[in-house]
């Protein structure tokens, strides 16, 4: 009996010597298991690069913008429109534009395709572009004859009341007609800069009461 207790005590002493090593190994294995099975940390999201791709489409639509007093400022219609978030522009097929100046003068524009900024203060017209400014009066009360611009490209600045083009254009002012290789027109100053090969036909004033051709 004493011999058995002696052997048991000796085995327990040896086990006590290796117990810290065993516990350390078990702890290491547990830690490894936890690391392998723990969910991945949430990685910071990297913002995607904005590409020139439309984020929404519109078909057979009309978009209107208004002044702070509630009056109509501009109206854009088209067969199909595509908005590009990287430039915040709207590309319109079969575009039709109507703007109203603070003096109430109406400008209408049409083209095969148009490109407008967010507030329609800047519109580029491509293909069979036509811009017509109705007859009216200037800010100082003087008569403003009807204006018509035609070309393959016209750049309209509705707030500044300007029309520009680096391509050949035709300008009709009342009964007068001009052609040029490029145009820079400022309605507020009443100055039209025609460049390149400029040709003009100036008609005599129509007699009072005469019908407009």
């Amino acid at each position: 009996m004493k011999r058995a207790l002696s052997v048991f005590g000796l085995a327990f002493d040896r086990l006590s010597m290796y117990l810290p090593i065993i516990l350390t190994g078990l702890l290491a294995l547990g830690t490894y298991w936890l690391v392998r099975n723990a969910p991945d940390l949430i990685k910071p999201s990297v913002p995607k690069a904005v590409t020139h791709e439309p984020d929404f489409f519109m078909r057979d639509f009309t978009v209107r913008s208004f002044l702070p007093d509630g009056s109509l400022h501009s109206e854009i219609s088209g067969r199909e429109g595509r908005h590009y978030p990287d430039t915040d522009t709207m590309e319109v097929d079969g575009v039709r534009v109507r703007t109203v100046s603070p003096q109430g003068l109406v400008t209408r524009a049409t083209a095969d395709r148009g490109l407008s900024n967010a507030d329609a203060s800047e519109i580029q017209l491509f293909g069979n572009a036509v811009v017509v400014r109705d007859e009216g009066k200037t800010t100082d009360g003087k008569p403003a004859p009807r204006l018509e611009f035609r070309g393959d490209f016209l750049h309209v600045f509705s707030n500044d009341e300007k029309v520009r083009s680096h391509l050949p254009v035709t300008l009709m002012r009342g009964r007068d007609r001009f052609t040029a290789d490029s145009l820079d027109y400022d309605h507020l100053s009443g100055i039209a800069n025609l460049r390149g090969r400029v040709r003009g036909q100036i008609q005599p004033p129509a007699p009072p009461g005469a019908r407009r051709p």
Side-chain angles (χ1 to χ4, degrees):
M1 182 66 179
K2 290 182 180 181
R3 181 179 179 81
L5 290 175
S6 176
V7 171
F8 177 77
L10 181 60
F12 182 79
D13 290 340
R14 291 182 178 179
L15 179 62
S16 299
M17 293 175 56
Y18 293 103
L19 184 60
I21 299 175
I22 296 173
L23 291 177
T24 302
L26 291 175
L27 181 61
L29 289 174
T31 303
Y32 175 76
W33 181 86
L34 288 175
V35 171
R36 286 291 304 272
N37 293 275
D40 294 335
L41 295 176
I42 299 176
K43 298 180 181 179
S45 59
V46 179
K48 295 182 179 179
V50 180
T51 60
H52 193 64
E53 296 291 337
D55 57 352
F56 67 83
F57 297 83
M58 296 186 293
R59 290 182 173 87
D60 298 324
F61 68 96
T62 297
V63 177
R64 297 181 178 90
S65 62
F66 298 87
L67 297 175
D69 62 0
S71 59
L72 178 67
H73 173 59
S74 66
E75 180 179 271
I76 299 179
S77 305
R79 184 173 62 254
E80 179 177 289
R82 299 169 292 278
H83 179 261
Y84 295 91
D86 58 330
T87 56
D88 196 15
T89 55
M90 177 70 71
E91 186 178 32
V92 183
D93 296 334
V95 64
R96 303 184 303 277
V97 183
R98 181 176 179 268
T99 61
V100 183
S101 72
Q103 292 77 33
L105 296 178
V106 178
T107 300
R108 299 181 304 276
T110 59
D112 296 339
R113 183 172 62 91
L115 185 64
S116 171
N117 63 349
D119 61 356
S121 61
E122 186 177 337
I123 303 172
Q124 299 179 61
L125 304 171
F126 305 88
N128 298 311
V130 179
V131 176
V132 177
R133 182 67 173 267
D134 287 348
E135 181 181 2
K137 292 184 178 181
T138 61
T139 54
D140 55 3
K142 295 181 179 180
R146 181 181 183 273
L147 293 172
E148 182 173 335
F149 306 86
R150 290 180 175 268
D152 285 335
F153 172 78
L154 295 173
H155 198 163
V156 180
F157 301 82
S158 58
N159 289 350
D160 298 330
E161 301 187 49
K162 295 180 179 180
V163 179
R164 295 174 181 169
S165 179
H166 63 285
L167 297 180
V169 295
T170 297
L171 166 62
M172 287 171 279
R173 182 180 184 273
R175 302 171 64 220
D176 303 333
R177 178 187 178 94
F178 303 89
T179 60
D181 291 337
S182 63
L183 166 75
D184 189 344
Y185 174 75
D186 186 345
H187 184 76
L188 298 179
S189 66
I191 296 176
N193 290 318
L194 303 171
R195 302 183 181 90
R197 294 171 296 178
V198 179
R199 295 180 175 87
Q201 296 178 351
I202 301 177
Q203 303 293 335
R211 295 184 60 184
R212 187 174 303 172

